[in-house]
Amino acid sequence: MSKIADPDRNPAANVELRSFQGRQRKNLTFLTICIGTATLSILVLVVLLIAVFVQGSSGLAQAPTFRWEFPWIHHPFLVNPPSPEADEAGVGPALGGTFWVCLGCALFTLPLGVGAAIFLEEFKPKWTISRWIHGFIQLNISNLAGVPSVVYGIIGLTAFAAMFGLFNTDTPLEIGAEYFDQFATEGKDTYVLVPVEHRNSPPTRLITWHAEGEMTVPPEASVVRLQLNSAFYFDPWEYAKVLIDGVPADAKAKGGELTVDVSPGQHQWQLTLPGQEPLTVKIVPADEQDVRAPEGQLIVQSAGDIKFSVSQDHETKITDAVTPRKPHKKIKLNVIGAFDELPENEKELKYTIRSDSEGGRIADEHWYYLSLPFGRGVLTGSLTLMLVVLPIVIIASQESIRAVPNSLREGALGMGATPWQMVSRVTLPAAVPGIMTGSILAMSRAIGEAAPILMISGIVYITTVPGHMMDEFAVMPLQVYNWAGKPQVEFHDVAATGIIVLLVVLLFFNALAVFIRYKLHKPLS
Amino acid sequence: MAAPTTTRLPRALAGGARLRSRRAQRLWEGFILASLVFCAAFSIFVTFTIIAVLFKEAWQFFKLPEVSVVEFFTTFEWNPLLGNVKHFGVWPLVSGTMLVTGVAMMIALPLGLITAVYLSEYAAARVRNVLKPMLEVLAGIPTVVYGFFALTVITPSLKFFHDGFNIYNAFSAGIAVGILCLPIISSLTEDALQAVPRGLREAGYGLGGTRFDVSLKIVLPAALSGIISAFLLAVARAVGETMIVALAAGGMARLTMDPRQEVQTMTAWMVQMALGDISNFSTEYLSMYAVALVLFVITFVLTVVGNIVRLRFREVYQ
């Protein structure tokens, strides 16, 4: 180090000049640090990939088979559904779900994103207020890009799945779904379906029991109690109808007991009980306490005089039952009593049902099934991913539109084009490669997003590819999360295999983006 | 002489263009412009929806008798799932987030800065062509993969070196989040460094500076606003990270500065609530919205300040 000696002649007298060698040494040290850091980053990436491959390659080691159904090459891991056995688990439904959700996301995002980018770049306003609004929208989009994806998941849950509570989840508005009550017949493994109107209509009953009679109710007691002990587990009075003088009565049901309010005097009454075998009726005086109806008996308790006669058993023969195999062919059911003997003929047995059978409500949803609220289906997932990916698409499209040189625009305007003609015929075609690249990269981001889907659908065990827009689905990153979070160590290997598949899909998308960038890029000026 | 009638427009043009009358063209363009405005305004609608939903549900949460706003923001215990005594202080969750973010920034910030300086000032084109795609790949890997990596590789390695690490700990999650944020800081900082005009650098070289001198004493300070905005945006990303912390950091909310312990971040709590078997209107479920509001406010403030710094305080040269 040298000091410049004379303070009067040199204003930099008290400055220490550093030697050149010292600074060179610092430069070299820093360069070494830089190279070390860069190598560290590459090393981390390599270690990550190697770890994943080492753990997951055993899952892909099986040989694929060929079959004549989609997809034609069947590899066990790629086609199997997830299963409790680690060596049988696969990502088939997750791949299908990812495909549909990302397709929907792209369909929603691209028009909105490119439209917004065109507006922000090409139609810049001149007045101050509009300029302020324009800048506000721009800032807003940049801020939306920084919102965590879980928050988008919560918004998707509230706005799309539940739709702010505007529609009732129990009775959604829907089209494209048909409901059936499914009965098991006495034949071998045969089911019949009875079409019903609406998912909440009363269950189909094979028999309805009617009774009618007369009653005289004294003034001081105006309550009639009916008690029924049913062999079934449902509330026997749930679909019963009591008519007093032809008018539906005020009846309250609690457990096996039905209480009917009657005005004093003489009345005609009717009772309809769906799905019950012919019952015995016992009339009990009003002052008896602790009355218990034995099974199959209807107890009527009231003050005053009640005459009660079973007029007729009405059997409801269902004439429009169908079978799952041939849904358009109507079949005739043979309804026999609960304790009757079965017919011996196999053919007759095939469509024989006992009158006390219970049907299960099933739904047949067509491919165009739509319901409001959207619920936890593919549509909700697509819209939520759209929220996540939209700011990225807008920013990327803006950059590629900005890259179109101004000379092209001014040339178009000079030839007499209106602003929209200039955009649609000159600017957009020139910006399309960049927009496509940006969108593909944004979609690859969407494929890897697990958090929003986690908020919408939760951890569910999905074994099928979604069949319609409202169907449940599984996505690949969520499936990996599912497996990685399991305590058993074998599932960590399965998770690693899933990660390999996921990375291959992403690699394909990124390679596609690079290929497009390379192929379609034309020098623009 | 009769006045000339308006010229009839030909029906079709070569190239498939449609000629409309001026009025029809203006109407069509007006319609197009209206739909474009709708597309752009949709983003404002999204922001408005986020704010409205979070505030409304958080207000429902604070309206509940067992919860008070004061308790939420001032007490230090969070266990809403216990039977009798429920505590709703949010600070343990915030401290978990801050712990993980702190570890992540300790890794991402220095490494990202140095990588950016290297890429921008030192590296030859060959190295750039290899390193930049690698960083893009690091940024593009899904976060579940990082979470899996933290759980199966980082945590066992940490336990191998020092026994005190819990199987779920904040440090391995922080490392993974740091690796995730490194490309963000690196690319944004590199953009900021590239934006510094060459004249400044050349002046430094002309005065006899080494590359180290010029990079660290001239270019870096000149790009400081860009670096600050990169840092803020990376912090926002780290705060909002969900899958890594859900897999590797654990589910026990505690107020601690020890990264070897299991912590629960705000995002991990939200995931726990969304997955649970809890009814839609119970206290615990609504607490998810309150925590989401806090998370959103934090990241929103960070992102807004970062963007404003990036756009406003760029030094204008020449």
Side-chain angles (χ1 to χ4, degrees):
Chain A
M1 311 238 180
S2 60
K3 283 196 176 118
I4 298 196
D6 192 349
D8 293 322
R9 294 192 51 199
N10 194 328
N14 290 328
V15 170
E16 279 188 19
L17 288 178
R18 278 165 274 205
S19 77
F20 187 62
Q21 284 86 0
R23 283 187 294 128
Q24 277 286 57
R25 237 181 293 132
K26 273 196 198 157
N27 189 33
L28 272 174
T29 324
F30 184 69
L31 182 61
T32 325
I33 296 178
C34 283
I35 296 184
T37 311
T39 328
L40 186 66
S41 317
I42 299 184
L43 201 68
V44 163
L45 180 62
V46 166
V47 164
L48 181 106
L49 291 177
I50 288 182
V52 162
F53 268 90
V54 159
Q55 235 184 323
S57 51
S58 56
L60 289 175
Q62 302 126 311
T65 56
F66 299 91
R67 254 175 252 169
W68 282 115
E69 49 181 48
F70 177 82
W72 294 268
I73 299 182
H74 278 239
H75 183 281
F77 186 72
L78 292 177
V79 182
N80 283 357
S83 106
E85 306 283 328
D87 41 1
E88 283 173 26
V91 288
L95 273 177
T98 306
F99 172 72
W100 283 113
V101 168
C102 291
L103 186 68
C105 173
L107 279 177
F108 286 114
T109 316
L110 286 179
L112 276 176
V114 176
I118 293 175
F119 174 73
L120 288 172
E121 283 300 310
E122 294 290 328
F123 292 95
K124 291 196 171 117
K126 297 174 205 85
W127 307 324
T128 325
I129 297 185
S130 323
R131 294 243 299 269
W132 188 84
I133 295 180
H134 191 269
F136 180 66
I137 296 183
Q138 184 75 61
L139 186 65
N140 190 36
I141 290 175
S142 315
N143 295 335
L144 280 182
V147 173
S149 46
V150 251
V151 176
Y152 283 126
I154 289 188
I155 299 301
L157 187 63
T158 315
F160 299 124
M163 289 199 141
F164 305 111
L166 287 176
F167 303 97
N168 192 355
T169 342
D170 292 325
T171 51
L173 296 170
E174 50 191 12
I175 60 169
E178 284 171 12
Y179 293 95
F180 298 95
D181 273 334
Q182 186 179 30
F183 292 91
T185 67
E186 300 295 327
K188 246 174 105 175
D189 283 334
T190 311
Y191 293 93
V192 289
L193 304 173
V194 178
V196 293
E197 284 297 309
H198 185 260
R199 84 204 276 161
N200 285 339
S201 41
T204 310
R205 304 289 173 188
L206 296 176
I207 258 198
T208 311
W209 182 75
H210 281 259
E212 356 184 75
E214 256 185 31
M215 71 161 105
T216 314
V217 178
E220 61 271 6
S222 59
V223 159
V224 178
R225 249 180 232 106
L226 298 156
Q227 222 190 71
L228 180 65
N229 187 347
S230 168
F232 312 119
Y233 55 85
F234 62 89
D235 181 0
W237 299 114
E238 196 181 343
Y239 298 104
K241 282 210 256 290
V242 180
L243 295 172
I244 305 229
D245 295 328
V247 173
D250 188 19
K252 289 186 240 333
K254 188 170 157 199
E257 199 176 276
L258 188 76
T259 314
V260 184
D261 283 324
V262 221
S263 52
Q266 203 176 37
H267 303 283
Q268 299 275 336
W269 71 318
Q270 288 171 328
L271 175 62
T272 307
L273 273 180
Q276 302 287 337
E277 272 297 293
L279 301 167
T280 53
V281 181
K282 184 168 162 197
I283 309 220
V284 164
D287 40 6
E288 243 185 73
Q289 303 289 333
D290 279 334
V291 179
R292 284 272 166 270
E295 200 172 302
Q297 185 176 79
L298 175 70
I299 288 191
V300 184
Q301 185 176 28
S302 163
D305 193 23
I306 291 206
K307 284 198 197 44
F308 197 103
S309 64
V310 175
S311 61
Q312 195 170 347
D313 283 344
H314 291 267
E315 284 190 2
T316 314
K317 283 231 169 45
I318 301 156
T319 51
D320 53 351
V322 297
T323 55
R325 291 267 175 86
K326 291 195 189 141
H328 299 293
K329 184 173 160 214
K330 307 243 196 305
I331 54 173
K332 188 155 180 280
L333 289 177
N334 177 27
V335 182
I336 59 177
F339 304 104
D340 290 352
E341 268 186 32
L342 290 173
E344 304 208 332
N345 191 351
E346 270 283 337
K347 275 193 153 184
E348 256 188 86
L349 211 59
K350 205 168 150 192
Y351 297 123
T352 301
I353 303 187
R354 293 203 180 274
S355 60
D356 56 352
S357 296
E358 280 283 303
R361 183 64 54 95
I362 64 169
D364 177 27
E365 286 153 357
H366 297 271
W367 62 268
Y368 54 88
Y369 175 63
L370 194 75
S371 89
L372 290 168
F374 289 150
R376 291 163 185 244
V378 174
L379 189 61
T380 310
S382 301
L383 289 171
T384 310
L385 277 186
M386 170 198 79
L387 291 180
V388 176
V389 160
L390 192 63
I392 308 174
V393 171
I394 293 181
I395 293 175
S397 308
Q398 268 189 289
E399 280 177 14
S400 52
I401 293 178
R402 227 177 277 158
V404 176
N406 251 352
S407 52
L408 289 180
R409 293 195 184 92
E410 291 173 5
L413 286 177
M415 299 270 282
T418 62
W420 172 245
Q421 281 175 338
M422 170 193 78
V423 168
S424 68
R425 291 181 200 285
V426 174
T427 316
L428 258 190
V432 152
I435 294 181
M436 278 176 69
T437 312
S439 320
I440 293 179
L441 290 175
M443 280 308 122
S444 67
R445 164 96 191 261
I447 292 179
E449 280 288 338
I453 309 287
L454 188 59
M455 300 302 274
I456 293 175
S457 68
I459 297 281
V460 280
Y461 187 69
I462 304 286
T463 50
T464 52
V465 177
H468 53 80
M469 260 195 309
M470 308 284 154
D471 213 351
E472 297 178 320
F473 63 100
V475 277
M476 286 228 45
L478 208 50
Q479 190 64 266
V480 170
Y481 172 74
N482 215 343
W483 283 326
K486 286 203 175 166
Q488 298 99 339
V489 187
E490 308 90 58
F491 278 105
H492 287 192
D493 293 341
V494 180
T497 318
I499 290 178
I500 295 180
V501 175
L502 182 59
L503 290 178
V504 165
V505 170
L506 287 174
L507 184 71
F508 167 71
F509 267 86
N510 278 29
L512 187 66
V514 170
F515 177 72
I516 288 180
R517 199 183 349 205
Y518 175 67
K519 265 286 174 171
L520 294 185
H521 181 73
K522 284 180 287 204
L524 286 171
S525 59
Chain B
M1 286 282 281
T5 53
T6 43
T7 337
R8 290 221 178 260
L9 298 168
R11 275 290 132 199
L13 272 190
R18 282 184 58 184
L19 270 189
R20 300 182 175 86
S21 69
R22 279 228 194 98
R23 218 175 80 203
Q25 184 74 27
R26 246 180 269 142
L27 273 176
W28 174 242
E29 299 235 336
F31 169 70
I32 296 270
L33 190 63
S35 40
L36 291 181
V37 169
F38 168 74
C39 293
F42 184 73
S43 65
I44 298 192
F45 177 65
V46 169
T47 312
F48 174 72
T49 311
I50 296 178
I51 296 179
V53 165
L54 288 181
F55 269 99
K56 171 174 174 272
E57 298 291 338
W59 189 60
Q60 298 276 49
F61 173 69
F62 286 126
K63 245 183 12 173
L64 290 171
E66 39 200 7
V67 178
S68 78
V69 184
V70 175
E71 185 198 353
F72 191 72
F73 285 109
T74 54
T75 58
F76 298 112
E77 246 190 272
W78 178 268
N79 35 25
L81 295 176
L82 287 185
N84 273 337
V85 184
K86 299 186 182 187
H87 295 276
F88 287 102
V90 78
W91 287 106
L93 294 178
V94 176
S95 100
T97 309
M98 289 307 147
L99 191 57
V100 170
T101 308
V103 172
M105 286 304 120
M106 274 197 317
I107 294 178
L109 190 58
L111 293 185
L113 271 182
I114 295 178
T115 311
V117 169
Y118 179 56
L119 276 176
S120 157
E121 305 294 319
Y122 280 86
R126 263 183 331 170
V127 177
R128 276 178 66 107
N129 285 343
V130 167
L131 194 53
K132 282 207 77 158
M134 294 237 137
L135 285 175
E136 277 182 34
V137 169
L138 266 186
I141 292 184
T143 51
V144 249
V145 179
Y146 280 118
F148 177 77
F149 182 62
L151 192 62
T152 54
V153 174
I154 301 184
T155 305
S157 319
L158 287 175
K159 286 177 78 125
F160 174 72
F161 284 117
H162 173 52
D163 256 335
F165 282 99
N166 198 6
I167 193 171
Y168 293 121
N169 57 71
F171 197 67
S172 68
I175 294 180
V177 177
I179 302 175
L180 182 71
C181 292
L182 194 152
I184 299 178
I185 292 189
S186 156
S187 78
L188 287 174
T189 308
E190 196 204 332
D191 286 345
L193 291 175
Q194 293 283 13
V196 175
R198 288 201 62 187
L200 285 181
R201 291 189 182 85
E202 289 174 1
Y205 289 131
L207 285 175
T210 59
R211 233 180 253 243
F212 175 72
D213 289 331
V214 169
S215 310
L216 255 62
K217 294 177 193 167
I218 298 180
V219 181
L220 209 59
L224 195 61
S225 66
I227 296 174
I228 291 179
S229 97
F231 174 63
L232 290 175
L233 291 173
V235 169
R237 178 76 199 265
V239 162
E241 187 39 59
T242 317
M243 304 311 293
I244 302 181
V245 291
L247 274 174
M252 201 165 355
R254 55 156 70 107
L255 193 64
T256 173
M257 274 296 132
D258 183 5
R260 301 171 306 169
Q261 292 187 28
E262 179 180 347
V263 294
Q264 188 173 44
T265 63
M266 292 187 276
T267 46
W269 170 256
M270 286 160 58
V271 165
Q272 188 180 353
M273 281 301 102
L275 294 183
D277 260 343
I278 307 175
S279 88
N280 264 18
F281 302 105
S282 66
T283 319
E284 297 85 16
Y285 192 78
L286 285 176
S287 72
M288 172 176 84
Y289 286 98
V291 173
L293 181 62
V294 174
L295 177 71
F296 175 70
V297 166
I298 294 178
T299 52
F300 199 66
V301 165
L302 284 170
T303 317
V304 166
V305 173
N307 280 329
I308 289 183
V309 166
R310 186 165 56 97
L311 295 173
R312 283 268 203 89
F313 294 104
R314 275 186 299 213
E315 298 209 19
V316 181
Y317 303 99
Q318 273 115 13

